[in-house]
Amino acid sequence: MVLVVRRITSKGHMMILPPPCSLLILRSFSNKLPVNPGRRGLCSAAMRLVQFHHHSDEGGIRVGIEQGEGVVDLKAFDPSMPSTMRQLLEMGDKGLEVAHRALSSGQCVVARSDIRLLSPILAPEKVICVGMNYRDHCLEQNAPIPEEPIIFSKFPSAITGPYSEIILPSESQEVDWEVELAFVIGRRGKHIKVEDALSYVAGFTVANDVSARDWQMKRNGKQWLLGKTFDSFCPLGPALVTTDSVKDPHNLGIRCLVNGDTVQNSNTDQMIFKTEELVAWVSKFVTLTPGDVFLTGTPPGVGVFRKPPVFLKRGDVVECQIDQLGSILNKVV
């Protein structure tokens, strides 16, 4: 059962609150850094990293680490630390080691009620997306299994927060949902080998690849970019879960619910091209940099292939869930 919490404001408006269970899918953290040299080149530390701002300072972005019911404010712990996740990742091991020390200290914890979670990454250099990457999604539309990754992009301006609103554009009448496993690059690389690829990944998060199907499939020469990149078409979060916090990213339950009804329900083991293959493939063409976001494809159950098709409308609430990572909850306006 999914609990959707609503609060009526003093002006009579309904506000969707993040479900407590989605925010508290946490792991215990060791006081020592676990060593796993084959997986990562970054500092090996199990953490859930977030970006947030205090309600009293909506313009000020902070980086934090989830700890129980609260969030450790990294800059409050060490004023020399950067204010954004991308800058933290650009620091490499040093930044993540300070973050782990802050988590272990138990200091500088702020209550969730005092903050608003933002997307774990804002303004990345690239948002790289993968089409047709679930076997069961290919079967859903009677499409052949791709022989190589199908790559497209969203503009970074499409990114919005884990509990922010999805804005229906007046230009489209066929806006659809797509729950996806996302991962974030942690260090710079080009021509990366498959066996080394996970060492370039900082962590995983939940994404919704919101799609205007009329623009994707019927207009603009059926080129995907415009249909994928309207403002607010990339909800992301709630946390960047470091790779050592995820036992196997390719064996996670993945679901999407619209107004509480399950519309997508699969497992990341259906992915055709896994994380390592995607990193190696894309790095043949472009240099990957810290903060780059990958969306890895969606399972079956999207609205466009239902009979009859179903599309999002104002007032709908979309929740995307992935085991071990959490959930994002976005109202359509």
Side-chain angles (χ1 to χ4, degrees):
M1 180 179 72
V2 177
L3 178 64
V4 177
V5 183
R6 297 173 172 85
R7 177 182 295 168
I8 305 299
T9 69
S10 59
K11 296 184 179 180
H13 301 302
M14 183 181 75
M15 179 172 61
I16 302 296
L17 299 179
C21 59
S22 299
L23 289 175
L24 295 177
I25 303 175
L26 301 174
R27 285 178 172 264
S28 59
F29 303 105
S30 169
N31 289 328
K32 296 182 179 181
L33 299 181
V35 177
N36 196 351
R39 284 191 76 188
R40 298 186 47 134
L42 299 174
C43 166
S44 294
M47 293 182 290
R48 293 176 59 91
L49 300 165
V50 297
Q51 281 189 143
F52 68 95
H53 63 62
H54 294 276
H55 290 313
S56 58
D57 181 20
E58 298 222 352
I61 300 172
R62 312 283 275 198
V63 178
I65 311 100
E66 287 188 346
Q67 185 179 65
E69 298 285 347
V71 170
V72 178
D73 186 334
L74 182 58
K75 199 168 185 65
F77 176 79
D78 185 340
S80 71
M81 287 294 100
S83 297
T84 71
M85 189 79 71
R86 182 175 172 182
Q87 292 170 334
L88 178 69
L89 295 178
E90 288 171 345
M91 293 180 65
D93 284 350
K94 178 183 176 182
L96 294 178
E97 286 168 356
V98 173
H100 191 270
R101 288 203 306 272
L103 177 66
S104 301
S105 75
Q107 301 173 5
C108 305
V109 179
V110 294
R112 291 182 186 274
S113 58
D114 293 335
I115 64 172
R116 178 189 176 204
L117 286 185
L118 308 172
S119 165
I121 288 288
L122 295 169
E125 183 178 281
K126 295 181 282 295
V127 180
I128 299 162
C129 308
V130 188
M132 307 289 292
N133 197 32
Y134 274 68
R135 289 181 178 85
D136 48 7
H137 184 45
C138 292
L139 293 173
E140 173 186 42
Q141 52 191 300
N142 296 314
I145 302 296
E147 295 183 1
E148 60 188 26
I150 298 172
I151 303 298
F152 62 98
S153 181
K154 289 177 179 277
F155 292 138
S157 56
I159 291 177
T160 193
Y163 311 114
S164 298
E165 295 172 335
I166 296 171
I167 302 169
L168 285 186
S170 59
E171 293 82 4
S172 175
Q173 283 69 54
E174 298 182 358
V175 176
D176 205 348
W177 57 83
E178 290 191 17
V179 61
E180 305 207 6
L181 173 71
F183 64 84
V184 177
I185 294 298
R187 62 189 180 105
R188 186 181 183 91
K190 182 77 182 289
H191 297 297
I192 299 167
K193 296 179 180 179
V194 171
E195 56 267 29
D196 298 329
L198 269 182
S199 72
Y200 288 81
V201 175
F204 297 89
T205 192
V206 183
N208 186 353
D209 177 17
V210 183
S211 305
R213 300 302 190 187
D214 38 8
W215 284 92
Q216 179 189 359
M217 297 179 170
K218 303 172 186 176
R219 304 188 59 178
N220 198 42
K222 300 182 182 180
Q223 201 272 6
W224 289 9
L225 176 64
L226 288 182
K228 295 283 190 175
T229 203
F230 284 98
D231 290 349
S232 78
F233 270 27
C234 191
L236 206 63
L240 178 61
V241 183
T242 57
T243 56
D244 286 298
S245 300
V246 183
K247 182 178 180 181
D248 182 359
H250 307 119
N251 187 21
L252 300 173
I254 180 170
R255 295 166 295 278
C256 179
L257 297 87
V258 177
N259 301 325
D261 296 325
T262 301
V263 292
Q264 292 181 277
N265 189 3
S266 186
N267 193 288
T268 58
D269 65 6
Q270 290 290 307
M271 286 172 60
I272 299 163
F273 302 102
K274 311 300 187 188
T275 298
E276 300 92 327
E277 297 168 284
L278 296 174
V279 170
W281 175 260
V282 174
S283 73
K284 293 179 181 180
F285 303 92
V286 297
T287 300
L288 299 180
T289 61
D292 285 350
V293 177
F294 277 69
L295 275 60
T296 63
T298 199
V302 295
V304 70
F305 295 126
R306 293 177 175 267
K307 297 180 181 180
V310 178
F311 298 110
L312 293 172
K313 61 186 184 302
R314 286 178 177 81
D316 286 345
V317 177
V318 185
E319 181 170 12
C320 295
Q321 308 172 344
I322 301 181
D323 292 351
Q324 301 181 35
L325 304 184
S327 73
I328 58 178
L329 189 74
N330 305 96
K331 184 178 178 180
V332 181
V333 299

